[in-house]
Amino acid sequence: MLRLDSSAPGFAAAFDRLVRDRRESDDDVARDVAEIVEDVKHRGDAALAHYTARFDDHPLETEADWRVPAAQCREAYDALTPDLRAALELAAQRIRAFHEQQLPADRDYTDDEGVRLGSRWLPVDAAGLYVPGGRAAYPSSLLMNAIPAKVAGVARLAVVTPTPRGENNPLVLAAAHLAGVDEVWRIGGAQAVAALAHGTDRIAPVDVITGPGNAWVAEAKRQLFGVVGIDMVAGPSEILVIADGANDPGWIAADLLSQAEHDPAAQAILITDDHRLADQVADMVGVELAMLPTARTAKASWDDHGVIIVVRSLDEAPALANRLAAEHIELAIDDPDAMFAKIRHAGSVFLGRHTPEPIGDYVAGPNHVLPTGRRARFSSGLSVLDFMKRTSFIALDEAALRAIGPAAIALAEAEGLHAHARSIETRLDL
Amino acid sequence: MLRLDSSAPGFAAAFDRLVRDRRESDDDVARDVAEIVEDVKHRGDAALAHYTARFDDHPLETEADWRVPAAQCREAYDALTPDLRAALELAAQRIRAFHEQQLPADRDYTDDEGVRLGSRWLPVDAAGLYVPGGRAAYPSSLLMNAIPAKVAGVARLAVVTPTPRGENNPLVLAAAHLAGVDEVWRIGGAQAVAALAHGTDRIAPVDVITGPGNAWVAEAKRQLFGVVGIDMVAGPSEILVIADGANDPGWIAADLLSQAEHDPAAQAILITDDHRLADQVADMVGVELAMLPTARTAKASWDDHGVIIVVRSLDEAPALANRLAAEHIELAIDDPDAMFAKIRHAGSVFLGRHTPEPIGDYVAGPNHVLPTGRRARFSSGLSVLDFMKRTSFIALDEAALRAIGPAAIALAEAEGLHAHARSIETRLDL
């Protein structure tokens, strides 16, 4: 864990290094991924079988090796304990309610020149959802990806999820049933992303691929952007907690560890104006780690990437937060709205002492797929819009063309695009 | 020009080839671009000077070689003829009016469980706009990129535009002045995109890069997606005209050529149910080409990529259009709205016989930066949203956490994320 003090000499340089610190994939991943993508593009299902046997120790031979039947997803759902089923249903209902409000409005109007203008939103035809297997097999991520797609009106939802050594995750299958997923393919990694983008004999191509994954998955999405739409390039998770001295250090320690336990490359940062709280949180992280079943991952993240920054005043916090542009920000202070108004770059902000970040991972309603690695400067969490696209439209009659056409002719001629001018002139007998 | 008949044997296969036809960059471009991006990342301004001298024959030595001063943009604007100035101003005003309606609404509400939820939109801090030089130096493109960014509220707009052999394009500079651009850098190609993304000593990095460009520019944007936001991966322009027999063949020919004159790799396609119109349009393309100053480019595009498809009935057209997912679609028929309702994938649709596509390039108001290469299946034209990002927020008090917290704990435990559960438990004394 790194401890910084904003009043110490060298703070600016140390903070700068922190902002520039990269915890993501390197060139080797890019080269490996490019080879896998090319192979799946050309050899299709044979390449998928090859990589799935090699990376997941799961041979794709029978139909059931390739794909989980819908009946099995329903069975997994039916087999849930009542508590867990109720929890999944509450999560789904709240996620749906929040995302339904994101549905965009169409426009269609005629302006003063008699020009009819508008835009129309439609869902994509098919979406592919990446759901990690192994360490990060999260039914909550399935809901967070599938429900916005369903709300958007996407007709075909294809999930890909690796099943290492052939093991399905029943919770993921149950969530797939609850969310109305159409296909569940037992593949993962860059090869699964390539299959969704280019299609194979078995798997029809999709239009958009969303969902979290490891460095190979993120790199495959980046490389295939343009062939398909993607939600974002996702990296390891992050939390920034901004806390005054009035907090329970145990609460803050638990919040920091909730990100740290995701991934050894995850990052948890605390900014506080209280030296004592800083010390107490550091101590409580140790106490919590001693009890935590995920301590191995969480400790690696905290040791390597954890940061505590003590500032002279919390007035310094928004400027630091805006440089970090973190995925999650908790504002554990008395007047979180006043500070939120000064924070420009963040994936999601958790206001007040009773809003721990994990509540947003499951049941609050907003999406938990959020920009990482300072990308909140320019990108947003997953939303219904990621599964839709907008077509603009224009309609003129002869009078409207006569009103605004001459200006277009002047600009077309000035740009040397004479056929552009001609298409208007010929309609106006000019 | 390729002519297809939907009633002929082999049509399905021929149309399939047309849909799969790629007119875009190949692997060599990707490798070259990767080298240039790496070089600019490491050597900064020195690399920019190297590539700009080599590719644009423009040595970057004095301050004026690097950057066009604001005063020069204003002078270019003041020197416009009254007609051209009025045309640019009409275009700017209409583009602004259309895009102002795209500004998204924030949300902030408290639901029945007492959970406060919402989302807040803010502009990115800085946007980089690519404006092509040489063949495609279009002031209209500058307006189409800069005005949505301004409407979004972006504080810093940096234009990059190559000036081959040192020649500035006065119209582009005039448009930069009109649109309120902050910086105009005389660089282009992949090196300019890399400079905007990574920053150099002279050029501060931006958060989003938009704007059209050649294959190198498009590939550089693709490779740098994730370091910065980008609008889309743009390829050669396209038009699909759907026309019945009641059209003036000269009008349709001009419309087809208006895309063909952009680029030898551009594509113009006509779908009609009238053999006679098909013949007449083919003839009129020849007649128009004989008069057209841009005939060399337009003829290359029409010869290599132009297509006329004769269908038995225009009822076949929407299904074909949805497979092509063209950038521009003209519906030169009596009831364009009825057909538009069946078209799912298109960048922009031009309704009726008096709406030639070029009116949308300049003065209609909607953006002319649109998805190409079948990407209208999943992406949209440039908009104000490309220059903004959304932060979600969540606020619970103790009662609300008590209401929905236990479901989150159940899901966290089921996912094996114990610190997630702990952050809620500790606040509820569970």
Side-chain angles (χ1 to χ4, degrees):
Chain A
M1 186 262 291
L2 172 71
R3 186 150 168 174
L4 301 174
D5 189 320
S6 76
S7 60
F11 173 73
F15 187 76
D16 208 52
R17 276 195 299 278
L18 176 62
V19 168
R20 288 170 190 279
D21 181 32
R22 301 248 55 77
R23 292 168 290 123
E24 297 185 11
S25 73
D26 58 8
D27 285 349
D28 289 344
V29 172
R31 273 194 298 273
D32 289 351
V33 166
E35 277 174 32
I36 293 169
V37 167
E38 210 48 28
D39 195 16
V40 172
K41 184 176 174 184
H42 289 106
R43 291 202 302 138
D45 292 329
L48 283 180
H50 168 73
Y51 293 113
T52 304
R54 179 167 148 201
F55 296 139
D56 299 340
D57 193 13
H58 174 53
L60 296 174
E61 289 159 7
T62 67
E63 196 59 34
D65 294 334
W66 280 90
R67 192 172 162 179
V68 181
Q72 194 178 338
C73 294
R74 197 182 56 240
E75 285 159 23
Y77 182 75
D78 291 341
L80 291 173
T81 64
D83 273 8
L84 210 46
R85 190 194 299 186
L88 263 188
E89 281 174 357
L90 179 72
Q93 170 249 309
R94 293 186 58 87
I95 295 166
R96 191 176 300 115
F98 184 83
H99 286 80
E100 276 171 353
Q101 298 183 49
Q102 292 175 338
L103 279 166
D106 291 347
R107 290 191 290 144
D108 188 346
Y109 65 98
T110 301
D111 68 16
D112 294 345
E113 272 76 34
V115 180
R116 183 176 156 214
L117 299 172
S119 54
R120 189 187 64 180
W121 289 89
L122 284 177
V124 300
D125 289 342
L129 314 180
Y130 192 94
V131 178
R135 185 166 59 203
Y138 301 147
S140 58
S141 286
L142 191 142
L143 298 183
M144 289 288 182
N145 279 272
I147 292 173
K150 276 279 171 185
V151 169
V154 178
R156 174 178 164 242
L157 295 193
V159 159
V160 293
T161 188
T163 56
R165 293 162 307 283
E167 284 168 35
N168 283 312
N169 181 315
L171 271 175
V172 167
L173 302 188
H177 172 75
L178 178 60
V181 163
D182 300 288
E183 305 164 15
V184 178
W185 298 95
R186 303 175 68 188
I187 54 175
Q191 59 274 17
V193 178
L196 289 171
H198 288 300
T200 69
D201 287 343
R202 284 178 184 268
I203 304 174
V206 301
D207 301 300
V208 165
I209 301 175
T210 67
N214 61 20
W216 277 260
V217 171
E219 176 62 19
K221 285 169 67 181
R222 205 188 58 73
Q223 290 188 13
L224 288 159
F225 173 59
V227 177
V228 288
I230 68 171
D231 53 340
M232 66 185 73
V233 180
S237 197
E238 307 146 0
I239 190 169
L240 167 62
V241 179
I242 298 175
D244 60 22
N247 283 283
D248 183 320
W251 296 10
I252 304 299
D255 298 353
L256 295 169
L257 290 172
S258 75
Q259 292 307 301
E261 74 177 339
H262 270 299
D263 188 333
Q267 182 161 53
I269 302 177
L270 168 64
I271 294 180
T272 181
D273 59 351
D274 189 306
H275 273 283
R276 223 180 41 136
L277 184 87
D279 295 339
Q280 289 170 334
V281 169
D283 290 346
M284 285 305 293
V285 165
V287 171
E288 292 280 329
L289 278 174
M291 313 188 288
L292 197 64
T294 55
R296 195 171 152 175
T297 302
K299 185 173 188 307
S301 160
W302 182 247
D303 287 351
D304 294 349
H305 303 294
V307 187
I308 296 180
I309 303 173
V310 177
V311 291
R312 281 157 294 200
S313 153
L314 286 182
D315 293 344
E316 299 173 24
L320 300 177
N322 285 333
R323 294 215 41 220
L324 292 167
E327 181 187 14
H328 308 101
I329 299 183
E330 280 186 16
L331 301 179
I333 53 178
D334 276 335
D335 185 1
D337 279 292
M339 189 174 291
F340 181 39
K342 295 177 191 158
I343 289 177
R344 295 182 45 79
H345 309 305
S348 191
V349 177
F350 299 79
L351 302 167
R353 304 186 202 280
H354 280 87
T355 315
E357 186 280 330
I359 203 75
D361 285 335
Y362 295 110
V363 295
N367 214 285
H368 79 195
V369 182
L370 296 165
T372 57
R374 301 187 61 233
R375 298 191 185 89
R377 290 174 295 129
F378 54 81
S379 66
S380 311
L382 190 67
S383 83
V384 167
L385 297 184
D386 289 297
F387 299 98
M388 304 187 79
K389 71 270 175 38
R390 194 186 58 243
T391 298
S392 57
F393 57 89
I394 303 171
L396 282 74
D397 57 15
E398 192 183 333
L401 189 61
R402 208 164 284 285
I404 67 170
I409 293 169
L411 292 168
E413 292 291 355
E415 290 186 353
L417 294 176
H418 304 284
H420 281 62
R422 184 92 180 119
S423 76
I424 300 167
E425 286 164 356
T426 187
R427 282 169 167 86
L428 298 177
D429 291 319
L430 295 175
Chain B
M1 187 264 290
L2 171 71
R3 187 152 167 172
L4 300 175
D5 190 320
S6 76
S7 61
F11 172 73
F15 187 76
D16 208 51
R17 277 195 299 278
L18 176 61
V19 168
R20 288 168 191 278
D21 180 33
R22 302 248 53 79
R23 293 168 290 122
E24 298 186 8
S25 73
D26 58 8
D27 285 349
D28 289 345
V29 172
R31 273 193 297 273
D32 289 352
V33 166
E35 276 173 32
I36 292 169
V37 167
E38 211 48 28
D39 194 17
V40 172
K41 185 176 173 184
H42 289 106
R43 292 202 302 136
D45 291 330
L48 283 180
H50 168 73
Y51 293 113
T52 304
R54 180 169 148 200
F55 296 138
D56 299 339
D57 193 13
H58 174 54
L60 296 173
E61 289 159 6
T62 67
E63 196 58 35
D65 294 334
W66 280 90
R67 192 171 163 179
V68 181
Q72 195 178 337
C73 295
R74 197 183 55 241
E75 284 159 22
Y77 182 75
D78 291 341
L80 291 174
T81 63
D83 273 8
L84 210 47
R85 190 194 300 188
L88 264 187
E89 281 174 357
L90 180 72
Q93 171 248 310
R94 292 186 58 86
I95 296 165
R96 192 175 299 115
F98 184 83
H99 286 80
E100 277 171 353
Q101 298 183 48
Q102 292 174 338
L103 279 166
D106 291 347
R107 290 191 290 146
D108 188 344
Y109 66 98
T110 301
D111 70 16
D112 294 344
E113 272 77 35
V115 180
R116 183 176 157 213
L117 298 172
S119 53
R120 188 187 64 182
W121 289 89
L122 284 177
V124 300
D125 288 342
L129 314 179
Y130 193 95
V131 178
R135 186 166 58 201
Y138 301 147
S140 59
S141 287
L142 191 141
L143 296 183
M144 290 287 183
N145 279 273
I147 291 172
K150 275 279 174 188
V151 169
V154 179
R156 174 179 162 239
L157 295 193
V159 160
V160 292
T161 188
T163 55
R165 293 162 307 283
E167 284 167 33
N168 283 311
N169 181 313
L171 271 175
V172 168
L173 302 189
H177 172 74
L178 177 60
V181 162
D182 300 288
E183 305 164 15
V184 178
W185 298 95
R186 303 175 68 188
I187 55 175
Q191 59 274 18
V193 177
L196 288 172
H198 287 301
T200 69
D201 286 344
R202 282 176 186 270
I203 304 175
V206 302
D207 301 299
V208 165
I209 301 175
T210 69
N214 61 20
W216 277 260
V217 172
E219 176 62 19
K221 284 169 67 182
R222 206 189 57 72
Q223 291 188 14
L224 287 160
F225 172 59
V227 177
V228 288
I230 68 170
D231 53 341
M232 65 185 73
V233 180
S237 198
E238 309 145 359
I239 190 168
L240 167 62
V241 179
I242 298 176
D244 60 22
N247 282 283
D248 183 320
W251 296 11
I252 305 298
D255 298 353
L256 295 169
L257 290 172
S258 76
Q259 291 308 299
E261 73 177 339
H262 271 299
D263 187 335
Q267 182 161 54
I269 302 177
L270 169 65
I271 295 180
T272 181
D273 59 351
D274 189 305
H275 273 283
R276 222 179 41 135
L277 184 87
D279 295 339
Q280 290 169 333
V281 168
D283 290 347
M284 285 305 293
V285 165
V287 172
E288 293 279 330
L289 277 175
M291 312 187 291
L292 196 64
T294 55
R296 193 170 154 178
T297 302
K299 186 173 187 308
S301 160
W302 182 246
D303 287 351
D304 294 347
H305 303 294
V307 187
I308 296 181
I309 303 173
V310 177
V311 290
R312 281 156 295 201
S313 154
L314 286 183
D315 293 344
E316 299 173 24
L320 300 178
N322 284 334
R323 294 211 45 217
L324 291 167
E327 181 187 14
H328 307 102
I329 299 183
E330 279 186 17
L331 301 180
I333 54 178
D334 275 338
D335 186 1
D337 278 292
M339 188 172 293
F340 181 40
K342 295 177 191 158
I343 290 178
R344 295 181 47 76
H345 309 306
S348 193
V349 177
F350 300 78
L351 302 167
R353 305 187 202 280
H354 280 88
T355 315
E357 186 281 330
I359 204 75
D361 286 336
Y362 296 110
V363 296
N367 214 286
H368 79 195
V369 182
L370 295 165
T372 57
R374 300 187 61 233
R375 298 192 185 89
R377 290 175 295 127
F378 56 81
S379 66
S380 310
L382 190 67
S383 84
V384 166
L385 296 185
D386 289 297
F387 299 98
M388 303 186 80
K389 72 268 174 38
R390 195 186 59 244
T391 298
S392 57
F393 57 90
I394 303 171
L396 281 74
D397 57 17
E398 193 183 334
L401 188 62
R402 208 165 284 285
I404 67 170
I409 293 169
L411 292 167
E413 292 291 355
E415 290 187 352
L417 293 175
H418 305 283
H420 282 63
R422 184 92 180 118
S423 77
I424 300 167
E425 287 163 354
T426 187
R427 283 170 167 85
L428 298 176
D429 290 320
L430 295 174

